[in-house]
Amino acid sequence: MELLRQTVRLWQMENLRMTGEPEFEGQVLFALVQYLEHLKQHSICRRFHGRALARSDDPSLGYAALRQALMTQSHDNSFRYMLENFRKGTSPVIIKTDPKRSTRVTDPSQVSHHFGDTLTGADKEIYDKLVNGVLHMEPEIDVSAYGKAYHEIDEIWTAMCHDHPEFHWHNQYYWDPEYAADGHTVAAVIPNYYITADERERRQQEIDAAVGQYLEGITAETGDFDAALQVFLNLAKELDYDSIALDRQEKKEGRLIHRRDTPDDLRNLYGALVQKKAVCVGYAVAYQYLLQQLGMEAIVISGNAGGRHAWNIIKMEGDYYHVDATWGDGSDTDPAKNSDEPSFAFFGLTDQEILKARSMDPEPPAPPCTATACNYFVRNGLYFTAYDHMAIKESLVAFLQDGKKKRVDLRFSNAQVLEAARKQLVTNGGLREVLRATNRQGDFHYGTQSRFHIFTAFFEPAEGDNPNPTQE
């Protein structure tokens, strides 16, 4: 702690010219908060942060002063910025970025393709032949040397499709077999290409031109969690779930919906990123493709959730998590179903959690998802195993203090804690305390999601609100 205090004093003298003791104590607190964030002690970090913002004593004012000064100079981790900007030779410590915060590869072409990478022997050879054949739009892909039955080839075909969202020019659901002389094994795979090579190139150029808007807010320094969350939010902002077109398509094509010879833009990369309308498969392949462009591993998962559904498993900080970009986006082409608010209930879930809401196809086998560190609520200090009024208030104040957020979600470990939170926050005035602490004069309404024990508060601004506009 003494080393931390001296570090703050040196930086203060070199950069801010603030030497008052009250401000200095607040700046020590600020450095402590940033260092806790660096160590991934997110819950404790937000507790100290919320407590400082909610008080008006001299150390808290010093905390706010340093925070304001640094935020005008840095959009990244301010503690790291503070340490890295000493005059040469004066810094007594060196803080290195935790390598687990980002496991992205710098060359997107080197991103792991999970399903293909788990195959071995002849299955891996067939997988590679299918990838190369579809990439070059070969009319027939020879697999006669392997003596595989249709269902065996189809499992490898499905694995390839779940790994490669960039193949937007072929029917991922349907291929034709050419059988060998024995009548049982497959001699060749005949893909169903929707479009010509020229049309493929034109569409790819439009996809390339569109990608940038979905990667806004992400730099080479952005960690895995923040990058995945930003893409998730950008998709929710730009895309609409097209229930109108889906209803029309199902009425027209019925069970033949996947045996078509024209592009199914509701379910491919082009429709999602360029036309900005999609159903679940379109969201999943778009999210996968964008993360792969950032050097992150992502796959498409299929299953049933009251009907056929698709979502993603992505790798963040070395572990796998379920993320459902479709259920994260409330927008819909049908005005009666439309909502502008994203949902984080399905960002960073374990297998156990996701299976509360759906089933997963057994093939191809997905990697296990057991980690919780990159769950949206856990990472943001918004997950609670017991009702602690002060801790929850401080987390809410910290989360809402920028004055721009209109909604906050809290997640609890079980139904009893959720009900206790609802009672204290709504009936006993807890949210009113948060409104006062964040200088908001408006009202609020709330909702709950019982399946995942989530409490959501929506804040309505009032004329005269004067929230603190500072961003962290």
Side-chain angles (χ1 to χ4, degrees):
M1 187 66 183
E2 184 57 31
L3 179 61
L4 180 64
R5 293 170 66 85
Q6 292 305 316
T7 300
V8 173
R9 173 66 82 187
L10 285 171
W11 188 90
Q12 184 186 77
M13 293 175 65
E14 291 288 329
N15 293 275
L16 296 184
R17 308 299 181 188
M18 293 179 179
T19 57
E21 288 303 316
E23 292 86 353
F24 170 67
E25 292 300 326
Q27 291 159 16
V28 171
L29 174 60
F30 179 85
L32 174 62
V33 167
Q34 293 295 325
Y35 193 57
L36 287 168
E37 178 68 20
H38 175 77
L39 295 177
K40 296 193 290 187
Q41 300 297 315
H42 307 295
S43 180
I44 302 174
C45 169
R46 286 200 170 274
R47 183 172 300 181
F48 275 104
H49 176 67
R51 185 174 298 164
L53 291 176
R55 296 176 178 175
S56 58
D57 53 19
D58 284 341
S60 296
L61 294 175
Y63 177 94
L66 179 59
R67 181 175 175 275
Q68 173 65 33
L70 286 171
M71 286 303 110
T72 63
Q73 302 176 60
S74 171
H75 297 289
D76 196 10
N77 184 297
S78 301
F79 181 63
R80 186 167 64 242
Y81 174 85
M82 182 176 70
L83 294 175
E84 289 174 351
N85 282 274
F86 280 117
R87 291 181 181 175
K88 186 176 180 181
T90 64
S91 175
V93 292
I94 298 175
I95 297 296
K96 296 181 179 180
T97 303
D98 182 351
K100 280 201 71 178
R101 295 294 289 236
S102 178
T103 56
R104 293 157 53 187
V105 298
T106 55
D107 182 359
S109 68
Q110 300 303 309
V111 171
S112 174
H113 294 98
H114 174 80
F115 293 128
D117 290 346
T118 60
L119 297 176
T120 59
D123 289 351
K124 175 60 173 173
E125 292 181 18
I126 295 170
Y127 175 95
D128 290 340
K129 288 177 72 73
L130 293 177
V131 169
N132 186 69
V134 172
L135 177 64
H136 295 94
M137 297 184 72
E138 296 176 5
E140 293 187 4
I141 303 170
D142 183 7
V143 292
S144 59
Y146 302 99
K148 295 283 188 177
Y150 178 91
H151 73 276
E152 294 174 301
I153 298 293
D154 194 54
E155 288 179 0
I156 301 171
W157 173 270
T158 302
M160 177 199 70
C161 292
H162 281 47
D163 274 343
H164 290 275
E166 71 274 21
F167 293 166
H168 56 85
W169 52 86
H170 77 105
N171 187 330
Q172 61 179 310
Y173 299 102
Y174 183 68
W175 57 277
D176 287 311
E178 179 179 304
Y179 286 103
D182 61 16
H184 300 291
T185 59
V186 176
V189 170
I190 304 174
N192 180 3
Y193 300 118
Y194 291 133
I195 53 180
T196 65
D198 288 343
E199 177 67 7
R200 164 188 163 180
E201 179 61 27
R202 183 191 68 78
R203 284 184 163 227
Q204 188 61 53
Q205 289 176 359
E206 292 186 67
I207 291 170
D208 294 342
V211 163
Q213 65 190 299
Y214 298 98
L215 302 182
E216 285 183 0
I218 301 169
T219 70
E221 300 300 318
T222 306
D224 291 354
F225 174 85
D226 290 329
L229 181 61
Q230 189 62 57
V231 174
F232 180 90
L233 291 171
N234 289 346
L235 283 172
K237 176 184 175 182
E238 298 294 338
L239 267 62
D240 287 324
Y241 188 89
D242 200 347
S243 61
I244 293 177
L246 177 62
D247 290 343
R248 184 169 57 245
Q249 186 187 72
E250 289 179 339
K251 289 177 182 178
K252 180 180 179 181
E253 301 181 39
R255 291 182 177 274
L256 298 178
I257 194 169
H258 296 320
R259 295 176 66 91
R260 55 187 7 245
D261 55 8
T262 57
D264 186 3
D265 289 338
L266 281 179
R267 296 173 177 82
N268 66 28
L269 191 64
Y270 179 83
L273 297 187
V274 177
Q275 298 177 344
K276 298 188 176 184
K277 295 179 181 179
V279 294
C280 60
V281 179
Y283 276 85
V285 297
Y287 192 46
Q288 178 187 29
Y289 181 80
L290 293 168
L291 292 182
Q292 288 178 345
Q293 299 309 296
L294 294 173
M296 294 179 66
E297 183 181 339
I299 56 178
V300 173
I301 298 295
S302 298
N304 283 283
R308 293 298 293 166
H309 190 54
W311 65 99
N312 299 97
I313 287 178
I314 71 174
K315 196 172 189 179
M316 294 185 283
E317 300 178 8
D319 295 307
Y320 291 101
Y321 298 85
H322 293 269
V323 177
D324 191 332
T326 308
W327 286 16
D329 184 10
S331 64
D332 198 295
T333 54
D334 184 346
K337 302 176 182 178
N338 185 59
S339 169
D340 292 331
E341 294 291 341
S343 170
F344 304 105
F346 287 85
F347 188 94
L349 270 61
T350 64
D351 291 333
Q352 183 179 10
E353 291 168 330
I354 200 78
L355 291 174
K356 293 179 181 178
R358 63 195 62 179
S359 63
M360 287 192 296
D361 292 347
E363 295 293 338
C369 301
T370 59
T372 60
C374 288
N375 174 272
Y376 172 82
F377 298 96
V378 173
R379 177 54 61 91
N380 283 292
L382 300 172
Y383 176 76
F384 300 91
T385 58
Y387 186 81
D388 181 332
H389 182 70
M390 184 56 68
I392 290 175
K393 177 185 174 182
E394 290 169 355
S395 291
L396 286 170
V397 170
F399 191 77
L400 295 168
Q401 52 77 36
D402 68 6
K404 296 184 178 181
K405 297 183 179 72
K406 297 183 293 184
R407 162 187 172 165
V408 64
D409 301 87
L410 301 174
R411 185 177 170 195
F412 300 93
S413 57
N414 57 56
Q416 291 73 28
V417 182
L418 171 62
E419 176 55 24
R422 186 204 63 77
K423 182 178 179 180
Q424 292 295 329
L425 292 172
V426 179
T427 308
N428 295 345
L431 286 178
R432 296 291 178 193
E433 296 178 27
V434 172
L435 287 171
R436 288 193 294 271
T438 54
N439 297 318
R440 295 172 184 243
Q441 306 301 318
D443 205 349
F444 68 88
H445 64 280
Y446 76 96
T448 60
Q449 298 180 51
S450 59
R451 179 181 290 168
F452 290 102
H453 313 125
I454 293 173
F455 176 93
T456 303
F458 301 91
F459 296 92
E460 302 165 4
E463 187 175 352
D465 270 2
N466 185 30
N468 177 9
T470 308
Q471 290 277 351
E472 180 165 278

